[in-house]
Amino acid sequence: MPGRISKPWGKSAWDEEENSDVHHVSSVRLGGEESGKQVVRRPDVNLLYDGTTPAEGVFLTHAEAIIRAPVQSYPGQRKVIHTQNVINQYAVAANPRYFPRPQEPREAGHLFVFDVMASQHTTLARAFTLGYPGIYRPGTFAELWKWLTTLALQRSWRELDDNAVLEGAARGLPIIAMAETSAGPRLAVVEPGQPGPDGKPLLASAHEPRGQRQTVAQVFESRKVRYLAHD
């Protein structure tokens, strides 16, 4: 399948249940107390994407729909290769979900950031309700920007300076980049792993020109960038 590559390694500890994203551990101590069975979620190591073609089911153009992408990541399980796979499955440059729109906002920069962060099970995934308990939506650009600027630090996010963002990327943490530009406010996802040739993090963005492995200057010009990370 174009855009997807097979797993290049042998069986791993996570492969015990090939068709499930959970396994069970008994007698886990939580807060000093003996507990019963605990559900432990695992990342799916059997699906790898190269970012050229969207994974099945992630190209819904309805902006109010939350996508259940094939690759999910959970706090405490962050790794560079897995975080990169979460981003790659959305194939931001080729995915119709992020194509420019005829109405404002014309670019889907916020939607791409929400999708990636929802697949990594950050608190952003449950920031905006649909009017019913337990039912959530991606939120508009204005809602997302306001939440990140006013509430994120109270919802398990932390702000990183330039050095800390490189350390966070090297650990595969979910990181959002945001800045005001001459084209208006913009949002992007920091790609995990090593920085670019300029020593700054590389970004994935649905703002024009859409794509991955973009430099900070390409997305945000020379503006001051704010970085928010989630464990």
Side-chain angles (χ1 to χ4, degrees):
M1 176 184 291
R4 176 173 158 184
I5 55 180
S6 61
K7 186 174 65 173
W9 52 82
K11 298 283 280 186
S12 77
W14 291 115
D15 286 331
E16 183 177 346
E17 293 181 63
E18 197 72 25
N19 297 315
S20 172
D21 70 344
V22 302
H23 70 286
H24 298 276
V25 177
S26 298
S27 300
V28 176
R29 286 189 178 274
L30 300 176
E33 298 295 328
E34 192 79 14
S35 72
K37 281 192 173 182
Q38 299 294 312
V39 175
V40 180
R41 298 187 181 274
R42 68 166 175 82
D44 193 330
V45 296
N46 301 306
L47 297 172
L48 284 177
Y49 297 91
D50 62 10
T52 62
T53 302
E56 184 176 355
V58 305
F59 41 81
L60 298 175
T61 55
H62 181 37
E64 289 292 305
I66 288 184
I67 291 175
R68 178 67 176 180
V71 182
Q72 302 285 310
S73 171
Y74 298 88
Q77 299 176 347
R78 311 302 190 195
K79 292 184 178 180
V80 168
I81 189 172
H82 192 58
T83 295
Q84 190 67 62
N85 203 24
V86 170
I87 296 171
N88 287 353
Q89 71 183 332
Y90 287 104
V92 63
N95 194 334
R97 183 169 172 82
Y98 311 120
F99 285 178
R101 292 169 166 77
Q103 72 279 355
E104 295 294 340
R106 297 185 183 277
E107 297 180 336
H110 68 296
L111 188 56
F112 172 65
V113 167
F114 180 90
D115 288 345
V116 171
M117 295 302 153
S119 290
Q120 297 191 82
H121 293 265
T122 70
T123 55
L124 184 56
R126 296 173 180 267
F128 311 108
T129 64
L130 197 56
Y132 304 94
I135 306 298
Y136 302 93
R137 58 185 174 84
T140 65
F141 191 105
E143 288 174 324
L144 186 52
W145 186 270
K146 181 179 180 179
W147 191 90
L148 291 172
T149 55
T150 62
L151 292 176
L153 299 183
Q154 304 169 36
R155 302 290 190 271
S156 301
W157 293 81
R158 64 182 186 278
E159 191 161 356
L160 304 180
D161 61 22
D162 291 345
N163 291 327
V165 73
L166 296 179
E167 295 173 3
R171 292 171 52 198
L173 294 182
I175 304 174
I176 295 173
M178 56 191 298
E180 296 271 4
T181 74
S182 61
R186 287 188 161 194
L187 297 163
V189 171
V190 173
E191 300 242 19
Q194 297 299 312
D198 60 359
K200 297 181 179 181
L202 293 171
L203 307 175
S205 170
H207 293 286
E208 293 297 331
R210 288 172 295 112
Q212 295 180 230
R213 315 302 288 174
Q214 295 193 42
T215 67
V216 172
Q218 282 178 296
V219 180
F220 297 120
E221 303 162 343
S222 59
R223 305 303 176 94
K224 175 65 176 176
V225 180
R226 185 183 187 213
Y227 296 101
L228 296 173
H230 194 285
D231 290 319

